[in-house]
Amino acid sequence: MTVQKARCRAPRSPTRPASIGPLDTQQQRERQRWDDWAPTYDRSWFQRGFFRKVHDGVLEALSPAKGERILDVGCGTGNLAMRIAGQGARVAGADAAPAMLLEAASKGRGRLLGLVAAVAEQLPFAEGAFDAAVTVMSAHHWVDPKAGVGELARVLHPGGRVVLADIGRLGPLVDLLRRVFVANTEHHSGWTPAELAALLYMAGFRNARMRTMRLLGTNVVLIAADR
């Protein structure tokens, strides 16, 4: 299937990400937190010890093909997007934090299809614009996960596929400690594989394939499905 380039909105220059729509209070706080972290995000040991391994699993499940149009929702500084592009796919990224997109733009010059500032619940792309979509450790930050997954389904053409990775359900004690000691307590406390599968099925996905990964004491649920 051929998708016209105009369907994928991109910023006019790598240093000016597209504007984002109105955010609620939680989304504003989340955006500010990620904007503040952006300059040092790639230097975090967490990138090597955690995200790199999650990305390995996502790439294996995705199996990107040369020329495919793939959307990375919650792309951050573009590490996964760049790896997907390195396999010949045409990758666009969306993230709510403009400072994260600036970091992604600086490493993706000429290699990424486009970057847009957007929340998962309001993706500025046409229906059926992409062959596949990925979102990694992002869904637990979404204000409305059901709407976010619905948007993933909308921007994929029939027969497209999604790969979603997110934190597994935290136990009651761990969740209580997180709420007491961690500043960011607004996000979802994790998912069971069945809960993530239900979100995808309600959005019209099918053939969900799941696996779990144990990294740094955290369960990660990785699920792939077809549109």
Side-chain angles (χ1 to χ4, degrees), residues 1-167:
M1 176 179 178
T2 301
V3 181
Q4 294 181 0
K5 217 172 180 183
R7 285 186 171 179
C8 183
R9 262 183 15 194
R12 292 185 178 181
S13 74
T15 57
R16 296 179 62 191
S19 61
I20 196 169
L23 303 178
D24 66 20
T25 302
Q26 178 179 336
Q27 289 171 326
Q28 290 173 1
R29 281 196 292 260
E30 283 285 293
R31 181 177 68 176
Q32 187 60 56
R33 190 171 74 89
W34 291 104
D35 275 342
D36 292 343
W37 194 6
T40 60
Y41 185 73
D42 284 342
R43 298 200 296 270
S44 169
W45 62 270
F46 207 56
Q47 291 295 327
R48 298 184 298 276
F50 186 86
F51 277 101
R52 180 81 184 184
K53 292 181 172 63
V54 176
H55 292 171
D56 288 343
V58 169
L59 283 169
E60 182 180 356
L62 179 64
S63 297
K66 186 175 181 178
E68 283 191 312
R69 292 173 64 96
I70 298 176
L71 176 63
D72 183 357
V73 177
C75 65
T77 59
N79 293 326
L80 177 59
M82 292 297 294
R83 291 183 66 181
I84 297 172
Q87 297 191 24
R90 305 171 65 199
V91 187
D95 198 279
M100 286 284 186
L101 293 175
L102 292 178
E103 297 294 326
S106 69
K107 68 181 70 166
R109 296 180 187 276
R111 297 185 61 192
L112 297 178
L113 186 61
L115 296 166
V116 295
V119 294
E121 297 91 338
Q122 301 173 36
L123 295 176
F125 304 105
E127 294 183 11
F130 294 95
D131 301 296
V134 296
T135 183
V136 177
M137 304 306 290
S138 177
H140 63 279
H141 295 289
W142 300 349
V143 172
D144 188 345
K146 182 178 179 180
V149 173
E151 280 289 271
L152 291 177
R154 184 185 64 80
V155 301
L156 293 177
H157 67 70
R161 62 201 189 281
V162 67
V163 180
L164 186 158
D166 208 14
I167 57 173

Side-chain angles (χ1 to χ4, degrees), residues 171-207:
L173 178 59
V174 175
D175 191 38
L176 175 62
L177 292 173
R178 178 183 65 83
R179 293 178 182 277
V180 171
F181 294 108
V182 179
N184 176 38
T185 61
E186 294 175 322
H187 64 62
H188 197 282
S189 58
W191 316 86
T192 66
E195 287 171 335
L196 280 179
L199 277 177
L200 292 172
Y201 283 130
M202 283 189 294
F205 288 99
R206 56 190 175 82
N207 299 331

